[in-house]
Amino acid sequence: MGTATSARGRAGNLPAELTSFVGRRQEVTGIRRMLSTSRLVTLTGPGGVGKTRLAQRVGADLRRAFPDGVWFVGLAELRDPDLVAVTVGETLGLHEDMTGLDPAGLARFLADRQMLLILDNCEHLVAACAALAETLLRSCPELRVMVTSREALRVDGEANLAVQPLSVPGPTDACNPGDLQKYESAGLFVDRATAILPEFRVTEDNCATIVRLCRALEGVPLAIELAVARLRVLSLEQILDRLTDRYRLLTTGARTAPPRQQTLRALIDWSWDLCSEAERILWARVSVFSGGFELDAVEAVCADGRLPVDTVLDVLGSLVEKSVLIRAGNGTARYRILEVTREYGAAELVTAGEQEEMARRHCRWFADLAAHADRIWVGPQQTAVMERLRHERANLRVALEHATTQGPPETALRFAADLQNHWFVRGYFSEGRHWLDRALAMPAPRHWTRVKALRVAAWIAGIQGDADRAGPLLAEAVALADTLPASPERAYLPLIEGVFKLWPGDYEQALPLLERALVAFRELNIRNGELWTLIVLGLCRGLADEPSSGYPDLIAAMDLGAATGEVWWQSFGLWALSVLRWRDGDQAGATAAAKECLAVGKAVDGEQFAVGLGVESLAWIAARQHRDQRAATLLGVSRRMWQEMHTSLAPFRVLQTWHDEVVEQVRSRLGTDAFSAAVRRGSELSTAEAIATAVERQPRDRAPEPQTDVAAGLRLTRREREVAGLIAEGLSNRDIATRLVVAQRTAEGHVENLLSKLGFTSRTQVAGWLAGQRQSPPD
């Protein structure tokens, strides 16, 4: 495993402030004491008792005690135990070796870290979490682990704290408004009630009712929060009446369940009883979702004859009003359901005999979403569909689990492969390989779906430098393709073969393969493959010969990307252009291309791959300009991104060589300490901060402004002034694009913006205005 610095020196991932945390002072003190004597502390207790919030509070209080941070890993939405280590590694921004994240790899990374790792909601993954904790604690002497779970891990050396409900007034305690704050449950009740109803106050009249409510709810935080939510529609007395009656009925319920679980169950039972039949059906059915959901998914998965599709929206709204569902997000509405409420619905779904059917429909809908995303990838909806897939990551995992265990192999293979851009653009390489490997391990169909899955798996393995795996996967894809009828998928095989030849520098073998792929993609009108091949072909030509020999292919790719409305391939092409310009000695052109490449970081929130490449390119440019502090900082940024994507530049041999040369040059000029400090600063920047640093958004000195009447007060950019000069020379848009080495559509945009800003309608006016500018020096 390579050296990783992403977690080093960072405060972790807990929020800066944890607001509205009520009580628990003794527990916080006790857990801190336990962590001082035991390296594994597990907080156990029933759902809703407040284990997660308590762990977060302790972690926040202990930040200064752990130089390498307090790291919170939420596992509630994870279903696959094989992904526990991957999820921990992703949270830490870990750079894995080329074979994937595993407990041993994490142990090597954490070997000398002074860190607190919080694993939250482990009860459904207890065996995997126990094995991981045992491995890490055995190998990492300065590591502390805190776990929240409904059951202990049962690992040697584990200290356990059973988290109790909040304190409540006793049966004989006479309380007035001033006394309530002595009891944690009452404090939480008042805090949450005030948040819902700002005018809420504790008075002599309502104090006794609040006390009785806290007793009835037995101090369970989630129960208190669910009850307080009813203040939107019920009075305190009405809530108490309903709870008291309902709880009295529970005395004949299951005697084996702990009383507090009966109490919480009673509260959810009550919410269930208040729902209509349609609301209950939907509540149960949405339990198949994980991590939230949107209306279109609910309509497709949950609607049928019992719940007509045209009623789903109204029923969904009713569940939001009743606080069963929570609306989240400022854009397209998403909905989430508290885990304990979801589990209740899941149990009802099983009782209704619908669990298998809903899981199948859930899997089919998200497989269709993946296919749709792959199909429209090259087009104006590209950024929107990538955002949707990002939001649906938990649902995709659940659906892929079903596909690889319950579905036919063709569905699993197609599903995992159709997410190729999701795995690639987001840098989810390890997870992509995980699902592809599982799908490929199913009984092998002789079908093009398997060829595609093999091709995508080979590509990801190659990106991660695992040539021993990538080669056989691609060879199997080629062998299978030769036995099948013609398919557009065949065109991708010489493309991947060509890339695998390009990376080690075998340009003579790479070029004919890439050229063959380009012909096939154009004949089949496959825009995705054409864009990909043009960019790789341009890079190959520019590396094999003069850098400028690669420009035409890159310009063609950017023209095609602009014409289709997509953005990601354009950004990738701009990165390739920046590398060739840098190699050509055109530092200004290389800088412009790399900075334009980084615009995708704003267009596709959370994009990693092109942003990482763009930042790396700007680091090389800064090094050549002897801007060594900037170069080292940007190297730190790109290093963090490669680590988070679990890959590096190593597969692409010449890029890795240039990277290593830049590192040595900058380190030798700065000195080891200053270089390391700058790299560390860069690695600690968020992606947004990193992009802002890379594109240098600080105000820059401006050239003299136009002085003629028509341009008075205007502030042309440097690129607009450059375009104006080329127009004055009589160049066409295509000629301008060639001169600037940009896409023709980009050049057309510059010309249109310039005409609009100057208020002109013809290029002749621009030429005349510029001539006047040159004759009339600024005041």
Side-chain angles (χ1 to χ4, degrees):
M1 176 182 297
T3 301
T5 61
S6 55
R8 172 81 67 180
R10 292 166 64 190
N13 62 343
L14 287 177
E17 294 292 334
L18 294 174
T19 58
S20 300
F21 184 83
V22 178
R24 303 290 197 190
R25 291 183 181 179
Q26 290 185 345
E27 288 91 336
V28 169
T29 301
I31 295 168
R32 293 179 64 170
R33 187 181 302 116
M34 293 167 73
L35 282 168
S36 69
T37 58
S38 178
R39 296 175 53 224
L40 172 62
V41 174
T42 300
L43 311 184
T44 59
V49 81
K51 302 182 293 294
T52 296
R53 292 280 293 173
L54 181 56
Q56 289 175 328
R57 169 50 59 190
V58 173
D61 289 350
L62 290 177
R63 279 194 182 99
R64 293 187 178 181
F66 294 93
D68 293 305
V70 176
W71 295 86
F72 183 88
V73 184
L75 300 173
E77 296 174 0
L78 189 65
R79 297 290 179 269
D80 189 335
D82 291 339
L83 290 178
V84 171
V86 171
T87 302
V88 173
E90 288 178 344
T91 302
L92 296 174
L94 175 61
H95 174 59
E96 63 177 9
D97 60 19
M98 300 309 178
T99 59
L101 289 168
D102 56 19
L106 289 174
R108 288 193 293 273
F109 171 74
L110 296 171
D112 62 344
R113 264 54 175 184
Q114 297 180 48
M115 179 187 295
L116 174 61
L117 184 64
I118 302 174
L119 303 179
D120 185 57
N121 281 304
C122 298
E123 52 271 2
H124 57 303
L125 302 164
V126 67
C129 291
L132 177 61
E134 195 167 33
T135 298
L136 295 182
L137 293 171
R138 187 187 307 119
S139 305
C140 312
E142 299 301 322
L143 178 69
R144 295 289 189 275
V145 178
M146 182 160 42
V147 171
T148 75
S149 176
R150 297 185 191 181
E151 61 179 294
L153 299 188
R154 297 183 177 87
V155 172
D156 288 343
E158 178 184 26
N160 179 260
L161 175 70
V163 179
Q164 301 298 323
L166 300 174
S167 60
V168 300
T172 60
D173 291 340
C175 293
N176 58 47
D179 296 328
L180 276 186
Q181 292 303 316
K182 294 189 300 184
Y183 303 98
E184 296 168 331
S185 60
L188 178 63
F189 190 101
V190 173
D191 180 83
R192 299 302 190 260
T194 305
I196 290 173
L197 301 174
E199 69 275 14
F200 183 88
R201 297 291 183 272
V202 179
T203 67
E204 292 288 348
D205 293 332
N206 65 20
C207 182
T209 305
I210 294 172
V211 169
R212 293 172 65 193
L213 276 167
C214 290
R215 289 172 183 160
L217 296 168
E218 296 185 306
V220 176
L222 181 57
I224 292 171
E225 301 217 22
L226 290 171
V228 171
R230 297 301 179 190
L231 283 174
R232 294 187 179 95
V233 293
L234 298 174
S235 68
L236 289 172
E237 289 75 16
Q238 287 174 309
I239 294 173
L240 180 61
D241 289 343
R242 289 171 180 269
L243 280 174
T244 302
D245 291 342
R246 193 68 178 108
Y247 279 32
R248 188 161 54 246
L249 292 174
L250 268 184
T251 57
T252 59
R255 298 181 183 277
T256 57
R260 287 185 300 278
Q261 289 187 11
Q262 293 181 23
T263 299
L264 186 56
R265 171 83 184 200
L267 184 61
I268 305 176
D269 278 340
W270 169 53
S271 294
W272 180 264
D273 289 345
L274 290 177
C275 289
S276 67
E277 180 65 18
E279 290 165 352
R280 293 177 189 175
I281 292 171
L282 187 58
W283 178 349
R285 291 178 178 179
V286 298
S287 68
V288 299
F289 291 97
S290 180
F293 44 86
E294 294 183 16
L295 176 61
D296 57 352
V298 176
E299 290 176 330
V301 174
C302 301
D304 64 3
R306 296 179 64 206
L307 187 67
V309 67
D310 59 357
T311 68
V312 168
L313 177 57
D314 288 339
V315 178
L316 193 70
S318 296
L319 290 177
V320 172
E321 289 294 325
K322 293 180 178 180
S323 298
V324 175
L325 301 179
I326 302 167
R327 180 182 169 174
N330 297 322
T332 300
R334 283 186 67 80
Y335 305 91
R336 63 184 179 91
I337 184 170
L338 296 174
E339 183 64 16
V340 67
T341 312
R342 190 201 66 78
E343 289 177 354
Y344 187 101
E348 294 293 338
L349 193 66
V350 171
T351 300
E354 294 187 340
Q355 197 279 333
E356 184 176 342
E357 172 63 14
M358 288 300 112
R360 185 187 64 79
R361 294 175 70 172
H362 177 275
C363 176
R364 183 179 64 194
W365 195 87
F366 283 99
D368 288 346
L369 176 64
H372 173 71
D374 195 44
R375 188 166 53 250
I376 68 166
W377 168 244
V378 176
Q381 298 181 59
Q382 185 185 74
T383 57
V385 77
M386 288 307 299
E387 277 297 280
R388 180 67 183 273
L389 292 179
R390 183 171 72 94
H391 288 308
E392 301 292 4
R393 192 178 184 190
N395 278 311
L396 292 171
R397 284 175 164 177
V398 171
L400 283 162
E401 176 70 27
H402 185 275
T404 54
T405 56
Q406 305 295 323
E410 291 86 349
T411 297
L413 289 164
R414 183 182 295 110
F415 193 175
D418 282 344
L419 287 169
Q420 58 181 323
N421 297 307
H422 177 65
W423 308 134
F424 184 60
V425 172
R426 298 290 181 196
Y428 297 152
F429 297 123
S430 292
E431 182 164 359
R433 290 183 72 178
H434 170 82
W435 294 116
L436 285 160
D437 285 348
R438 287 186 59 168
L440 289 166
M442 299 174 77
R446 302 193 67 77
H447 193 274
W448 280 104
T449 55
R450 183 170 180 84
V451 175
K452 182 175 181 178
L454 287 164
R455 182 258 298 176
V456 176
W459 171 249
I460 294 178
I463 282 284
Q464 292 193 306
D466 188 1
D468 291 341
R469 178 69 173 148
L473 285 168
L474 184 59
E476 184 181 347
V478 171
L480 179 56
D482 288 342
T483 69
L484 297 173
S487 167
E489 178 62 32
R490 188 185 298 274
Y492 281 97
L493 299 179
L495 166 60
I496 304 302
E497 288 184 89
V499 171
F500 285 179
K501 297 295 184 182
L502 165 65
W503 284 344
D506 191 350
Y507 306 129
E508 287 188 5
Q509 290 195 53
L511 280 170
L513 287 165
L514 296 173
E515 288 167 345
R516 193 174 95 205
L518 182 61
V519 170
F521 285 130
R522 284 176 167 168
E523 288 178 348
L524 295 166
N525 197 31
I526 301 175
R527 294 289 181 246
N528 182 67
E530 184 178 356
L531 282 163
W532 189 352
T533 308
L534 279 169
I535 294 167
V536 176
L537 191 55
L539 195 56
C540 187
R541 294 192 206 278
L543 295 175
D545 197 355
E546 292 298 319
S548 58
S549 62
Y551 293 168
D553 290 318
L554 297 180
I555 292 173
M558 287 181 281
D559 280 344
L560 179 58
T564 61
E566 73 86 41
V567 296
W568 195 85
W569 283 120
Q570 291 184 72
S571 73
F572 191 55
L574 284 162
W575 162 75
L577 180 60
S578 74
V579 170
L580 295 186
R581 284 176 165 175
W582 173 80
R583 183 169 175 260
D584 209 14
D586 179 7
Q587 304 311 309
T591 300
K595 288 183 177 180
E596 195 171 348
C597 160
L598 292 180
V600 76
K602 295 179 66 177
V604 182
D605 186 31
E607 197 279 345
Q608 290 269 63
F609 199 77
V611 170
L613 290 171
V615 170
E616 181 82 29
S617 186
L618 286 169
W620 299 357
I621 296 164
R624 186 163 290 182
Q625 297 170 334
H626 285 228
R627 300 175 65 190
D628 293 328
Q629 281 287 340
R630 171 175 167 79
T633 300
L634 294 178
L635 287 169
V637 171
S638 63
R639 177 188 293 183
R640 174 180 66 80
M641 291 184 170
W642 300 134
Q643 290 166 354
E644 290 179 353
M645 289 185 284
H646 313 144
T647 187
S648 70
L649 294 174
F652 206 147
R653 189 171 299 166
V654 69
L655 297 187
Q656 184 65 53
T657 298
W658 289 339
H659 168 88
D660 294 342
E661 290 173 354
V662 167
V663 168
E664 288 306 312
Q665 291 166 7
V666 176
R667 181 190 285 122
S668 66
R669 292 196 294 256
L670 282 178
T672 300
D673 291 345
F675 175 81
S676 298
V679 168
R680 184 168 58 253
R681 285 195 300 273
S683 70
E684 293 170 358
L685 295 175
S686 68
T687 299
E689 292 169 338
I691 292 175
T693 298
V695 301
E696 298 180 290
R697 289 184 183 150
Q698 301 87 346
R700 310 288 288 177
D701 293 336
R702 296 184 180 272
E705 300 301 326
Q707 299 296 312
T708 61
D709 293 340
V710 73
L714 295 177
R715 303 175 74 82
L716 298 184
T717 65
R718 181 168 54 186
R719 176 51 61 90
E720 286 168 343
R721 291 194 297 274
E722 188 176 8
V723 170
L726 297 175
I727 289 174
E729 292 179 27
L731 271 63
S732 67
N733 288 344
R734 176 165 288 281
D735 291 337
I736 291 173
T738 301
R739 182 75 66 87
L740 297 178
V741 196
V742 299
Q744 183 174 338
R745 183 63 63 89
T746 301
E748 291 169 354
H750 287 318
V751 172
E752 291 170 3
N753 290 339
L754 180 64
L755 291 172
S756 176
K757 184 176 286 190
L758 293 174
F760 295 156
T761 58
S762 73
R763 303 161 77 91
T764 304
Q765 288 174 294
V766 175
W769 167 76
L770 188 61
Q773 285 291 103
R774 291 167 175 166
Q775 294 171 4
S776 303
D779 295 337

